[in-house]
Amino acid sequence: FDARHGGFGAAPKFPHPTDLELCLRKGETGIAHMTLTRMCEGGIYDQLGGGFCRYSVDQYWMIPHFEKMLYDNGPLLHLLADAWLVAREPMYARCAAETAGWIMREMQAPEGGYFSSLDADSEHEEGKFYVWDREQVRSLLTTEEYQEVALHYGLDQPPNFENKHWHLRIAAAFQDEDLLKRATSKLFAAREKRVRPGRDEKILVSWNALAIRGMAHAGRVFGQPEWIESAHRALGFIRGRMWRGGRLLATARDGRAHLAAYLDDYALLIAALLELIQAGFSPADLEFAEQLAEVLLEQFEDKEGGGFFFTAREHEQLLHRPKPGRDGAMASGNAVAACALGRLAALTGEDRYARAA
C-alpha cells in the first residue's frame, strides 16, 4: 500500500476495485478511503464527464492511460456506493452519480446493452479529447469562473501533460460551488464538440454483468430508480438476444450474437441478477438466475475436484481446460461463482448451489 498517494505499488497504478472492496469489508477502511479519494480527486477520474480511465501512468493518479473500460467502471461504481455507506463522503456520491450518468449517456446502446470501451486516442493523439490549453479555458469562462476553475483544477500550476497541456484534477478545494458548476458545465459543453474517441461497440455478457451489478447496487444505495432501470434494460438485451436454447452467448455486435459463453459470463450474470433482485424483487429475475445456475453446475463444475472450469463441457475440446482461481483485471469467475451460488442457495434453499459454492 502506498500510504502517501493511495493504491498499491508505484507507477503504473490500477484501480483494483476487488482489493479495495476486501479492505472495506475487513476493516482496513483507511486504505480503501484514501485510495478511492485520491482516485476521485485525480486525473484517472474524468472530472467533467464522469467515469474512470483504465490506469494511471504515474503514482499520483494524475495522468491516466485515457482508455475507459466498462469492466472497471461497473465495480468502481459498486465500490463508491459501499464506501459512501461507510463514510458518507459527498465526493463518493458525486462521482457515483457522474459515473452512472456517463454509463447511461455514452455506453448504453439504444437496444439496452452496454458497450465495451472508449479509446484513449482521438485524431491519432492520446488524451486529445480530454486535455486543455489554459487560454482555451480562459476564453470559455468569465473572469470569476476561470479563477475558480484554475485554483480547483490546477490550471494555476505548470502544465501536467506533455509539458504543454493541462489534464484536470482536483488540486485545491472549491471556493464557490455554484460558480464551479457553471464553469464545468461550460467546459463540458465545449468538450462535447471535439472529435470523440472511438468506441468499441461489442456487448459482452461478463462486462455487462459487472455494469448491471454496479448500476443496480448504486441505484439502490442512492435512491436512483433511473440507474436501476438502465440495468434492467441491459439485462433485457442479454435475455432477449444472448440467451438461446438455454445457453448464453458471450458477445454481440450489430445485431449478431455468437460464441458460447464462459464461466465468467454465467457467474457474473448470476451476481448481477441477485443485485437487481435486491433493488426490486422480480420472480422472472430469480427464475433466470436459477436457470443460469443449473447450466453452471451441469456444464462447468468439476464434480471431483470442486470449482468450475472456464469452458463448458460441450465447448470445443482444448489442449488444456483451465480452472482459474485468481483475480485479474476482473474478479475470478470461481470467486464470483462461490459467492453468488452461496447467496442464491440462501435465497432459494437449494442445497446443490450451497455444496457447489
Side-chain angles (χ1 to χ4, degrees):
F1 175 61
D2 180 345
R4 185 174 181 187
H5 304 292
F8 304 100
K13 273 187 177 165
F14 288 80
H16 293 289
T18 50
D19 295 354
L20 295 176
E21 183 179 357
L22 178 67
C23 290
L24 202 61
R25 291 184 175 278
K26 291 298 182 181
E28 295 288 351
T29 54
I31 290 176
H33 290 312
M34 182 182 180
T35 302
L36 200 52
T37 297
R38 293 291 183 270
M39 287 173 57
C40 288
E41 292 173 340
I44 192 173
Y45 181 73
D46 182 353
Q47 300 293 339
L48 295 182
F52 293 85
C53 297
R54 190 167 170 227
Y55 62 87
S56 174
V57 301
D58 55 66
Q59 62 184 324
Y60 315 110
W61 305 105
M62 185 185 298
I63 302 299
H65 175 51
F66 286 88
E67 194 175 22
K68 283 184 180 180
M69 312 299 295
L70 187 67
Y71 70 70
D72 287 323
N73 282 279
L76 285 168
L77 182 55
H78 192 284
L79 180 67
L80 283 166
D82 277 351
W84 181 84
L85 285 171
V86 174
R88 291 298 197 267
E89 167 57 58
M91 183 186 294
Y92 300 160
R94 174 180 64 82
C95 290
E98 292 170 353
T99 299
W102 167 73
I103 288 173
M104 292 186 291
R105 183 181 67 248
E106 297 189 32
M107 302 304 286
Q108 190 151 32
E111 299 81 10
Y114 296 123
F115 298 131
S116 292
S117 64
L118 296 183
D119 292 346
D121 301 1
S122 55
E123 300 182 88
H124 309 293
E125 292 183 30
E126 178 165 352
K128 186 173 182 179
F129 181 77
Y130 299 99
V131 301
W132 295 87
D133 295 323
R134 185 186 276 163
E135 294 309 312
Q136 183 185 24
V137 175
R138 198 191 303 272
S139 70
L140 293 166
L141 305 177
T142 68
T143 301
E144 293 78 11
E145 288 168 348
Y146 176 78
Q147 290 172 346
E148 181 69 35
V149 162
L151 180 67
H152 187 59
Y153 289 127
L155 296 176
D156 59 340
Q157 300 174 20
N160 62 356
F161 186 72
E162 298 181 346
N163 296 316
K164 58 182 177 179
H165 298 297
W166 282 263
H167 178 53
L168 304 184
R169 90 286 189 200
I170 296 177
F174 60 78
Q175 304 299 309
D176 186 323
E177 187 173 12
D178 290 337
L179 199 62
L180 181 66
K181 285 181 178 178
R182 286 203 303 273
T184 53
S185 66
K186 289 180 181 180
L187 294 178
F188 177 76
R191 197 181 78 172
E192 285 291 281
K193 297 174 183 176
R194 298 177 178 177
V195 176
R196 305 186 68 81
R199 182 170 62 190
D200 183 347
E201 297 192 349
K202 289 195 305 295
I203 295 173
L204 303 172
V205 168
S206 57
W207 295 15
N208 267 250
L210 289 169
I212 290 166
R213 179 175 177 262
M215 291 289 280
H217 182 65
R220 178 168 64 88
V221 167
F222 293 110
Q224 295 289 342
E226 183 185 11
W227 307 357
I228 299 169
E229 175 56 29
S230 170
H232 272 295
R233 288 184 58 222
L235 175 66
F237 179 88
I238 292 171
R239 187 181 284 164
R241 306 281 186 90
M242 305 179 76
W243 175 247
R244 294 182 189 167
R247 297 289 187 272
L248 276 176
L249 297 172
T251 180
R253 186 184 176 116
D254 298 330
R256 176 175 176 258
H258 64 121
L259 300 181
Y262 303 94
L263 166 64
D264 291 4
D265 300 300
Y266 283 91
L268 289 166
L269 192 55
I270 294 169
L273 281 158
L274 288 167
E275 206 64 61
L276 273 173
I277 287 168
Q278 286 204 133
F281 182 73
S282 162
D285 288 348
L286 179 58
E287 181 184 6
F288 191 30
E290 291 184 280
Q291 290 171 334
L292 293 169
E294 292 299 327
V295 178
L296 196 59
L297 267 59
E298 174 196 334
Q299 289 291 323
F300 293 87
E301 188 178 15
D302 181 351
K303 303 293 185 183
E304 297 177 359
F308 297 91
F309 293 107
F310 186 65
T311 55
R313 295 183 201 286
E314 58 194 19
H315 195 276
E316 64 182 289
Q317 287 294 114
L318 304 175
L319 287 172
H320 172 61
R321 193 182 181 202
K323 190 168 68 171
R326 294 190 176 202
D327 292 342
M330 301 192 310
S332 154
N334 265 294
V336 175
C339 183
L341 287 171
R343 296 179 74 194
L344 192 60
L347 192 61
T348 62
E350 177 52 70
D351 277 348
R352 290 180 301 121
Y353 302 160
R355 286 197 298 273

